[in-house]
Amino acid sequence: MCRLLAYLGSPIALEQLLYKPEHSLIIQSYQPREMISGVVNADGFGVGWYHTHKDTAPFTYRNTLPIWNDVNLPNLSRYIESKCVLAYVRSATPGQALDFANCQPFSHQQHLFIHNGYIENFRKTLYRKIRSTLTSDVYEHINGSTDSEHIFALLLSHIQLNQHRPPEYALRRTILTLEEMAKRYQVKALVNIVWSDGNRLIASRFATSTPAPSLYWLRDDLNYPNSVMIASEPLFKGNWTACPENSIISVGENCDIQIDKI
């Protein structure tokens, strides 16, 4: 399991998101409150963000070190500013390698993606099945071995195949496909996802069997006006709302929120 954080709104320094909150992602890396498996998130981390003024592909900074051991991130986070940020700290599934190819966020063109959860016994069950359904160029883009990257690849394939539909549709199709595969192989799948193209956030809280991993959203906090945050755990005291299980949460460019059942 991992801990996630996503932000969309007025431009903000990474430091304000990663270090300032009382229960920041840094704290959650070694003292999480709501993980349903694992104890710490010390198997790497990553941050992805979009340029505030230029329409460019997103930037990522990743490391296999625990986030508290990275000596560069505190200084970088003081000077990097963005209106859209995705970040996570990793608790690796047993058997998954600790290397950069397996570090999130994963990116492709304008897409950024983070995942909290797992597919049970992934390599022996859904690994080949998922790969067999991918479009050829997405298949060739896979670099690592995690279930998370394969879920991202499945989502990208559905986006490509349904370009005339909104990305919420592609995410729904991705989750329903995983649910069908998981039932066929009689395995559990936990699929908390956040996706972005730099202008919006789309997230899911889903599990084939309860409970689903925790996920919350917060809009227009006094200290973070004109913004929406999505996080595995509340970063500070405030009007955080638990996302319903088996739902998709959409955040538009104006920070409007829509929640739909899967």
Side-chain angles (χ1 to χ4, degrees), residues 34-55:
E34 299 189 41
M35 285 176 61
I36 58 178
S37 68
V39 179
V40 296
N41 298 282
D43 300 320
F45 71 93
V47 185
W49 67 94
Y50 292 83
H51 197 286
T52 302
H53 304 294
K54 297 179 181 179
D55 184 18

Side-chain angles (χ1 to χ4, degrees), residues 204-206 215 217 241-249 259 261:
S204 65
R205 185 186 182 198
F206 180 83
L215 195 68
W217 63 269
T241 301
C243 300
E245 292 200 20
N246 298 344
S247 64
I248 291 176
I249 304 93
I259 299 176
K261 295 293 289 183

Side-chain angles (χ1 to χ4, degrees), residues 222-252:
L222 290 176
N223 295 314
Y224 299 86
N226 305 314
S227 70
V228 172
M229 294 186 191
I230 297 175
S232 296
E233 301 181 10
L235 304 178
F236 45 81
K237 294 179 181 179
N239 296 319
W240 293 87
T241 301
C243 300
E245 292 200 20
N246 298 344
S247 64
I248 291 176
I249 304 93
S250 302
V251 184

